Amino acid sequence: MSESSVGVKNVRREIAIVAGAKDWGDTRESWLARVPHKVKTVSFRTVKALWYGEISDPDHWAARDIRRAAELIEARSEAASLAIKFQKTAGGMRIADENFYSTDIDRLERIARVLSGLDRT
């Protein structure tokens, strides 16, 4: 596999992350059209060119902007998943012995709120 085809494959993965899940009524064009709504610096035509390999440079400015957006989406998803784990752990500690674990429960719940974006302090 050539380096440019690996770059196109990575850019496609990042475009798919930014575009999100394909709905049953989506065409490839309508699905790709979601990317410029989320990444304001790229046009639909540029996204199509990246998807179809017309732009094969993985360091192209548009590919970098899409990569940053995809990384942010993945980071938010990981943070939300971690927040859920912390909430479940705190719930288990509350059931086991709320008085004994009260400090740890408060700390886990606070971290979960921060990770889920409900608490910005």
Side-chain angles (χ1 to χ4, degrees):
M1 196 176 269
S2 71
E3 186 177 320
S4 66
S5 65
V6 170
V8 168
K9 186 176 180 180
N10 288 339
V11 170
R12 278 183 163 196
R13 185 184 73 77
E14 292 155 354
I15 288 171
I17 290 168
V18 174
K22 232 177 172 183
D23 293 331
W24 68 270
D26 277 334
T27 64
R28 181 172 293 153
E29 306 298 314
S30 67
W31 179 68
L32 290 174
R34 292 185 202 162
V35 176
H37 295 288
K38 296 178 181 177
V39 182
K40 300 296 183 192
T41 57
V42 299
S43 68
F44 172 68
R45 180 65 195 119
T46 305
V47 173
K48 273 183 62 174
L50 286 165
W51 182 263
Y52 291 110
E54 296 166 14
I55 299 173
S56 59
D57 178 11
D59 292 324
H60 185 274
W61 63 269
R64 286 193 315 261
D65 289 355
I66 291 169
R67 184 176 308 115
R68 275 192 292 266
E71 288 169 353
L72 186 59
I73 289 167
E74 287 180 321
R76 286 180 178 153
S77 175
E78 288 174 18
S81 175
L82 192 55
I84 290 168
K85 287 179 184 177
F86 284 169
Q87 289 168 338
K88 286 181 180 180
T89 302
M93 293 168 87
R94 180 172 281 113
I95 291 169
D97 190 344
E98 184 171 7
N99 293 327
F100 182 76
Y101 294 115
S102 64
T103 305
D104 294 325
I105 292 169
D106 291 343
R107 192 172 295 132
L108 283 171
E109 288 176 339
R110 170 96 169 105
I111 292 169
R113 281 194 308 273
V114 169
L115 287 173
S116 63
L118 298 176
D119 191 348
R120 295 284 180 197
T121 58

